[in-house]
Amino acid sequence: MEGEVEFHTFVGWIHRLRKQGSLLFIILRTHKEPHAYIQCVMKGKLAKTCSKNPGVYREATISLTGTLHDDARAPGGVELKVTDWELIGPSDEEIEGRIRPESGPEVMADNRHIQLRGTHMSNVVKLRAAILRGFRHHFEEEDVTEVSPPTIVQTQVEGGSTLFKLKYFDQEAYLTQSSQLYLETACPAVGDCFCVLPSFRAEKSRTRRHVSEFTHLEMEYAFIDFEGLLTRLEKMVKDVVKYVCEKKGDLLEEVNPGMVEKCKTLVEEPFIRMKYTEAIDWLKEHEVYKNEEEKIFYTYEDDIPEKPERFMVDTIGKPILLTHFPTHQKPFYMKTPADHPEVTESVDLLMPSVGEIIGGSMREGDYEKIMDGFKREGIKPDPYYWYTDLRKFGSFPHGGAGVGVDRFVCWLGGIDHIRDVILYPRNCNRCKP
Ligand code: 4AD
């Protein structure tokens, strides 16, 4: 009705608080669009009583009612002129000293629950959610079924050295390293499938891309060949990128300025495909040494460590599907082409600035070859009877991969360290908060 004043109420947390003369400015964090952050202003007596309240500090929960006015200087272009307020959950002045811009990583980590409330961190958490939605959207479109394998298991997947052992009542069990074996068994039940679950690796080294618990998005495809697997992985990554740019482009731009534009090229161009032997040749051509002092180059037998791998992908500056790793470097389940038993049908997707974000392969379908693999790795086959049964009762060509979701977020968000994209990161020195 003409002339009638419309009042709005917003509930949230005091993100910022500033007194200016008789005015009190509050940036309220609501997380509800279109006013996720809203500038609110009080004046006169209202400002005085509010600022004098012993519970009104940053992070107090407050309800603010008033009228909305356009203001180009305010976030979101509007300002709430407050006419009424109510303190819901008081805060304390201690909040100001908890973390400061100069606080070191350990102080930040101890106060992770506070750090998360910051603009950047909460944006990263939202970006991660958008990325996961992008994956689920892709799988929905491709008719891939989500399944939920267990995370307490009695089998290893990626080598005994990174297993977390635990006492499970009176038996020995592990925290899962990968849900792959279970996904393989779900294929004959539901066809193509995926899961999003934590995987655990007892990684002793503290690098900027390893944690002890990571979000592992794994998928398994039935009746696929290696070429088909590579094509599907590339399409998956491009679909997720397109989804995030389309649905949350502003958020991505805020977290990683310029990325939306870069993504336009990324989704248009085919990913580079490179065999492992070609990568070894590339390192030699670019004078990357295994032993700098003695000028020794990497050979086809060597494992390429993180540093030279990063140098290669950063220099090339484009996603690389690195394929055909040597058999002796890879786990028991990987398929080897009949005419080349020395290599596996395996792939790592390498991204500039992060390195490997996906690892996958075709799976060995032959019972005897799986048994040979167990022998090679010194694994007792008995606990794997349900896995080897897959090769007894209706074997079929299949393959899949695992995405390190945290590394994917690092890559898309342009974030240097994996701990900065995880709600509560775990490494060999930290299991709190
Ligand atoms: O290459 P990985 O070890 O492959 C597997 O686990 C397969 N079984 C997956 C499958 O085929 N279903 O791990 C897959 C991805 C890596 O590319 C990396 O992005 C991530 O998981 N990852 C880690 N991320 C953070 N911290 C760690 N310690 C990680 N280990 C692996």
Side-chain angles (χ1 to χ4, degrees), residues 5-235:
V5 183
E6 202 179 341
F7 288 92
H8 298 263
T9 299
F10 294 91
V11 186
W13 297 267
I14 298 180
H15 196 60
R16 302 203 202 298
L17 188 67
R18 179 167 59 91
K19 262 195 267 177
Q20 195 181 307
S22 65
L23 301 178
L24 181 67
F25 287 96
I26 292 175
I27 302 284
L28 191 72
R29 189 175 71 246
T30 73
H31 288 306
K32 287 199 190 301
E33 297 294 349
H35 301 298
Y37 295 90
I38 181 161
Q39 179 168 304
C40 310
V41 63
M42 291 187 199
K43 60 180 180 185
K45 208 169 148 214
L46 210 59
K48 214 175 195 173
T49 49
C50 184
S51 63
K52 286 216 165 118
N53 185 297
V56 174
Y57 285 98
R58 254 187 342 105
E59 296 308 330
T61 322
I62 197 165
S63 165
L64 298 172
T65 301
T67 51
L68 280 176
H69 301 265
D70 290 340
D71 185 337
R73 293 162 304 174
V78 289
E79 184 178 73
L80 186 80
K81 290 200 190 307
V82 178
T83 52
D84 198 9
W85 66 278
E86 187 192 344
L87 187 61
I88 296 171
S91 181
D92 188 278
E93 67 177 325
E94 189 203 333
I95 191 73
E96 298 305 338
R98 277 296 186 95
I99 45 174
R100 298 174 183 282
E102 64 275 17
S103 302
E106 292 305 313
V107 175
M108 288 289 190
D110 285 339
N111 289 285
R112 187 66 166 174
H113 53 299
I114 306 292
Q115 193 196 10
L116 284 173
R117 301 180 179 202
T119 318
H120 177 71
M121 269 314 305
S122 56
N123 276 345
V124 171
V125 175
K126 289 177 191 172
L127 177 65
R128 182 190 180 92
I131 290 170
L132 281 169
R133 272 203 295 276
F135 275 106
R136 287 206 163 86
H137 181 257
H138 164 83
F139 290 128
E140 173 98 48
E141 297 274 293
E142 303 245 314
D143 197 18
V144 182
T145 303
E146 182 161 6
V147 295
S148 307
T151 52
I152 302 174
V153 300
Q154 293 186 310
T155 44
Q156 58 164 280
V157 191
E158 299 297 330
S161 66
T162 60
L163 272 181
F164 272 113
K165 295 194 176 94
L166 65 113
K167 207 171 163 314
Y168 185 72
F169 303 102
D170 54 356
Q171 299 179 40
E172 181 167 282
Y174 316 121
L175 295 178
T176 191
Q177 292 174 308
S178 156
S179 300
Q180 176 197 320
L181 308 190
Y182 290 96
L183 285 186
E184 288 190 47
T185 66
C187 266
V190 297
D192 296 346
C193 52
F194 78 100
C195 67
V196 187
L197 287 173
S199 277
F200 303 87
R201 308 269 169 106
E203 308 269 5
K204 292 262 164 56
S205 56
R206 290 182 67 179
T207 77
R208 60 185 193 84
R209 63 175 202 173
H210 287 93
V211 275
S212 317
E213 176 179 10
F214 64 98
T215 301
H216 208 175
L217 187 147
E218 298 183 85
M219 71 287 320
E220 196 67 28
Y221 301 127
F223 305 108
I224 196 169
D225 59 12
F226 189 44
E227 178 54 37
L229 176 64
L230 299 183
T231 307
R232 283 191 86 158
L233 292 180
E234 180 169 343
K235 179 169 188 302

